[in-house]
Amino acid sequence: MKQEEIVKKVSGVFGPDVIQATTEFRGEAAVTVLADKIVEVCRFLRDDPELSFAFLSFVAGVDWYPQTPRFEIVYQLYSVKHRHRFRVKARIDGDSGADAAIDSVTGLWPTANWHERETAEMFGIVFRNHPDPRKLLLPDNWKVHPLRKDFPVTGTEEDTPDLPTRAGGS
């Protein structure tokens, strides 16, 4: 199935109230969906026999600061059965905690577990109903989100511990 056919099928099922935008770049299409409908749209993409997106390649975050909505969550899907790819995006607003939140898709694709955890940690986005929201990369006591565009280039006191000085010098 061609990319434009996938877009047409998804748009036909969910309509303009859910499908907020469609884009194409270098022959690959994407749909931006209403964040509250992400699980419903992804379930359709996985379960529809003509689509069969049984594999979630990745989940990633994008910070569009200072735009509103600020964050975009990107889901790259692959159909092993039909050998086609597709991208789904959802935009969410907020700066931290429940303000920047979206439902988890781990119930559809278990591989989303680590992808969502990394995205949560790096951007401060909450994945509601995630089965294991522990950090993967940063120390537990850090409250910073290093992939946000407003993160200081030189770091913060929290993430730049005092380094030992050389003996007898600076």
Side-chain angles (χ1 to χ4, degrees), residues 92-103:
I92 59 175
D93 206 8
D95 286 324
S96 64
D99 292 344
I102 191 165
D103 291 331

Side-chain angles (χ1 to χ4, degrees), residues 124-136:
I125 295 166
V126 173
F127 287 87
R128 292 183 295 255
N129 303 313
H130 192 281
D132 184 12
R134 290 176 299 150
K135 288 187 174 189
L136 292 171

Side-chain angles (χ1 to χ4, degrees), residues 89-114:
K89 302 175 182 183
R91 299 289 301 263
I92 59 175
D93 206 8
D95 286 324
S96 64
D99 292 344
I102 191 165
D103 291 331
S104 174
V105 296
T106 55
L108 301 174
W109 298 288
T111 190
N113 187 323
W114 282 51

Side-chain angles (χ1 to χ4, degrees), residues 13-151:
V13 169
F14 291 98
D17 291 341
V18 174
I19 307 299
Q20 298 180 314
T22 61
T23 56
E24 186 273 328
F25 181 71
R26 294 188 178 181
E28 292 194 9
V31 293
T32 301
V33 306
L34 188 65
D36 292 345
K37 299 292 185 180
I38 191 65
V39 173
E40 186 179 338
V41 171
C42 286
R43 182 177 290 112
F44 171 77
L45 290 165
R46 185 195 66 180
D47 294 347
D48 184 272
E50 290 181 334
L51 302 176
S52 298
F53 288 105
F55 182 68
L56 174 70
S57 301
F58 69 80
V59 176
V62 179
D63 185 354
W64 289 104
Y65 179 82
Q67 293 180 21
T68 302
R70 178 175 179 169
F71 299 106
E72 185 173 66
I73 311 302
V74 182
Y75 304 82
Q76 179 70 41
L77 310 178
Y78 183 71
S79 172
V80 176
K81 181 178 180 181
H82 300 296
R83 299 176 63 191
H84 51 232
R85 300 179 190 284
F86 194 63
R87 190 169 294 125
V88 179
K89 302 175 182 183
R91 299 289 301 263
I92 59 175
D93 206 8
D95 286 324
S96 64
D99 292 344
I102 191 165
D103 291 331
S104 174
V105 296
T106 55
L108 301 174
W109 298 288
T111 190
N113 187 323
W114 282 51
H115 298 289
E116 289 179 353
R117 286 172 64 187
E118 180 181 10
T119 302
E121 187 173 359
M122 294 292 121
F123 291 93
I125 295 166
V126 173
F127 287 87
R128 292 183 295 255
N129 303 313
H130 192 281
D132 184 12
R134 290 176 299 150
K135 288 187 174 189
L136 292 171
L137 305 170
L138 301 177
D140 288 336
N141 62 330
W142 283 16
K143 305 292 182 222
V144 298
H145 307 292
L147 291 183
R148 288 183 173 206
K149 286 193 176 176
D150 58 355
F151 186 79

